[in-house]
Amino acid sequence: AARRGGGGSRYSEYHTGRGQPAAVSSVAFSLYDGGDSDDSELEDEDAVADAEAPAPPRKRAGAKTVAACLAAFQLGLLLVLAEIGDSRMPAGYIPAGTVVETENIDLWTFIMLSLAFASLWCLRSVASEADPAAACFLSRAQANEWKGWMQVAFVAYHYANAQDVYVPIRWFVSAYVWLTGFGNAVYFWRTNDFSLGRFLKMLWRINFFVVFLSLATGTHWIAYYVVALHTVHFVLCYVSLGCAKCFRGAARSMVGLAVYGVLCVVVWEGGLYHAAVGPVLEKLLGEGFEQYFWFRTRLDYLSSLAGAVAAALAPRATAAWRGDDGSNKAGVAAVSVCLAIGGIAVWATHPEPADYRAYQPYVGTLWIPLYAVARNATSRLRNRVSAPLEWLGARSLELYLLQFHLLLNRSADRVLWLVSHEDWPVLNFGVCATLWIVAAHRCFKQTAALRDAAEAAPKSAAALLILLAALYAAARLVDAPCASRDAAAALSA
């Protein structure tokens, strides 16, 4: 569909512990943990439940192998679909839905209002769930709901090239990284599990599908930059809090957060990145990769630290908010409002993206406490979540990755066009969005099945992971010079 419009969206911003109170969520969720409900931080409880309940019939080894092979086959079909959608199907110009404007904020607003209506129409109660943390601040249900609407806003921003909402979208990306720091800090302080198995399991969850998708479509890993952000910040959290695992009580969290803060400042402000990390990336993957990696990680280098700090303060803040003392509630609300006002003031005084980005690392997460307080303002709000948003949030990784190939295409510089009529952008959006959501759901199910198969045979899975990493590294080292030129051209745009 040959149409006129603005530029592409991929680089568009260049154009211009146990012992915690039950009220604290026990869920450890990086943004892209696959949304599964059986995380290892709940394995203790699961083990107790399994001991009390009759054991389900066990699958034979052959049946498990067949199921894993079927899941792998279906995942392969999805990869083929993504490659066809990205490079072999018709494409329309970004922004979608207009032939005269460089952005379509009307389309973005319509998508968000439609989502809000559908979400408010389908609420479900979490007050009666077995997990005592199900109805507390930032439970798994609330976190998935939060991730769901932010993910749609993020995708719609790309689809409509809605530069007017650039700053809120940057805040949403920061919130994703914040969740990585918050969730992993809760998990590590609760379990003290800094095993190599946990480390590899999280890297598998974050990067398993993206490696195959990158190889299938020829898209570089760094182009899926949110995945890169979560990989970096999980490693930061693991190393920083792991350094303090020998401490007990409050000292463990204080020392861990101190190490965390020092690492962030030394790497991104103290010159360690440019002295040690940057040259290695440039040598192996090219100057363009290194520059883009620096740009993306620099924008949110403090976000996961803020999440870890929030995890340390959450028990007191949650107790104060849920208690009967009105003065405590007023204090929490006042602090939250002041922080949000600070972020809004920076936005108001630096509305241009190029000017605002200098302040993004310091103010990108200031709105989060107010959101958490407002979302849990009453017991009715706290005890209900939007089922559609929760469903979308559980599939955040797959939705994020497949948007580049089944909603957008041509390396996210165009929109996928499946309707023969060029003047029917709304119908085309409906068709492509349906394909995108269904494919993301199937991908979610199949990657979960393969993850379970890998956990059942950890040695074989580890060997496969090493082989896959070597294959990916070899493929990317071969085309690194080309990637450098492409990324450098985008940086200069």
Side-chain angles (χ1 to χ4, degrees):
R3 301 167 345 121
R4 298 184 60 186
S9 65
R10 178 174 168 190
Y11 297 106
S12 59
E13 53 198 50
Y14 287 105
H15 292 331
T16 58
R18 303 206 180 278
Q20 293 185 348
V24 180
S25 173
S26 63
V27 173
F29 44 84
S30 69
L31 167 63
Y32 295 131
D33 62 2
D36 49 305
S37 59
D38 57 347
D39 280 326
S40 50
E41 66 273 13
L42 297 179
E43 286 174 356
D44 300 347
E45 292 86 343
D46 291 344
V48 173
D50 291 342
E52 296 174 351
R58 301 179 66 87
K59 288 185 178 180
R60 292 178 301 175
K64 292 181 179 180
T65 302
V66 171
C69 290
L70 288 175
F73 177 74
Q74 292 184 49
L75 195 64
L77 292 179
L78 291 171
L79 292 172
V80 171
L81 180 65
E83 196 282 330
I84 292 174
D86 185 73
S87 62
R88 302 175 190 274
M89 295 300 291
Y93 281 98
I94 289 178
T98 178
V99 295
V100 295
E101 301 292 340
T102 58
E103 59 180 305
N104 192 350
I105 191 66
D106 178 60
L107 177 61
W108 186 88
T109 305
F110 170 77
I111 292 172
M112 296 309 298
L113 289 178
S114 299
L115 180 70
F117 177 78
S119 302
L120 293 175
W121 192 263
C122 303
L123 298 176
R124 77 173 186 89
S125 174
V126 296
S128 60
E129 293 185 352
D131 182 4
C136 77
F137 278 32
L138 295 180
S139 63
R140 174 169 295 280
Q142 274 197 23
N144 280 338
E145 178 193 72
W146 185 12
K147 293 186 292 181
W149 67 258
M150 289 194 301
Q151 183 63 57
V152 173
F154 183 62
V155 172
Y157 163 78
H158 281 162
Y159 197 76
N161 196 34
Q163 295 296 313
D164 287 349
V165 293
Y166 171 82
V167 173
I169 295 302
R170 286 252 50 85
W171 288 1
F172 298 163
V173 174
S174 297
Y176 293 148
V177 183
W178 185 95
L179 282 169
T180 293
F182 180 89
N184 282 294
V186 169
Y187 170 80
F188 286 133
W189 286 333
R190 187 170 180 271
T191 66
N192 209 33
D193 176 15
F194 294 92
S195 64
L196 179 61
R198 174 66 183 181
F199 181 79
L200 294 177
K201 183 177 180 179
M202 287 302 298
L203 292 185
W204 173 286
R205 288 182 177 187
I206 298 170
N207 290 280
F208 172 71
F209 180 62
V210 71
V211 168
F212 288 104
L213 188 63
S214 175
L215 290 172
T217 63
T219 304
H220 290 273
W221 176 76
I222 192 61
Y224 307 107
Y225 69 88
V226 174
V227 174
L229 286 176
H230 288 279
T231 301
V232 169
H233 285 276
F234 166 70
V235 173
L236 268 176
C237 190
Y238 177 88
V239 171
S240 302
L241 302 187
C243 290
K245 67 177 182 178
C246 59
F247 292 89
R248 294 290 180 269
R252 183 175 58 168
S253 59
M254 292 178 63
V255 173
L257 290 174
V259 174
Y260 208 148
V262 169
L263 267 180
C264 290
V265 171
V266 169
V267 171
W268 280 278
E269 298 285 0
L272 181 60
Y273 177 92
H274 295 297
V277 180
V280 173
L281 292 178
E282 182 176 347
K283 182 70 173 177
L284 294 178
L285 297 170
E287 182 181 2
F289 181 101
E290 185 276 324
Q291 290 179 3
Y292 195 57
F293 185 85
W294 162 257
F295 171 79
R296 286 300 182 186
T297 56
R298 177 69 173 75
L299 284 176
D300 288 294
Y301 81 93
L302 293 175
S303 297
S304 66
L305 173 61
V309 171
L313 298 177
R316 291 178 178 271
T318 304
W321 186 252
R322 291 168 61 98
D324 297 327
D325 191 339
S327 62
N328 288 338
K329 288 187 176 182
V332 173
V335 171
S336 302
V337 169
C338 289
L339 290 174
I341 289 175
I344 294 172
V346 173
W347 178 16
T349 54
H350 302 83
E352 293 299 321
D355 297 331
Y356 170 79
R357 283 196 287 268
Y359 300 91
Q360 161 63 22
Y362 316 108
V363 303
T365 59
L366 294 184
W367 67 283
I368 293 175
L370 181 59
Y371 171 79
V373 166
R375 179 63 184 80
N376 294 272
T378 67
S379 60
R380 184 178 180 83
L381 286 173
R382 190 163 53 243
N383 293 334
R384 285 167 175 78
V385 297
S386 167
L389 291 181
E390 183 186 9
W391 188 90
L392 290 171
R395 291 148 181 82
S396 294
L397 170 59
E398 294 77 17
L399 290 168
Y400 170 76
L401 294 175
L402 290 176
Q403 68 163 316
F404 295 107
H405 311 294
L406 297 180
L407 199 59
L408 308 170
N409 66 0
R410 304 297 191 271
S411 298
D413 286 333
R414 298 288 187 270
V415 297
L416 178 62
W417 203 269
L418 298 179
V419 176
S420 59
H421 204 296
E422 295 181 5
D423 296 327
W424 291 359
V426 176
L427 178 60
N428 182 73
F429 170 73
V431 172
C432 294
T434 301
L435 173 65
W436 167 58
I437 291 173
V438 171
H441 173 65
R442 295 310 306 166
C443 178
F444 168 78
K445 301 295 286 186
Q446 305 318 317
T447 52
L450 290 174
R451 185 200 66 225
D452 293 342
E455 291 179 357
K459 292 184 178 180
S460 300
L464 177 61
L465 187 62
I466 294 172
L467 179 62
L468 179 62
L471 173 65
Y472 184 81
R476 284 296 168 252
L477 286 175
V478 169
D479 63 6
C482 178
S484 302
R485 291 194 294 271
D486 293 343
L491 285 165
S492 62

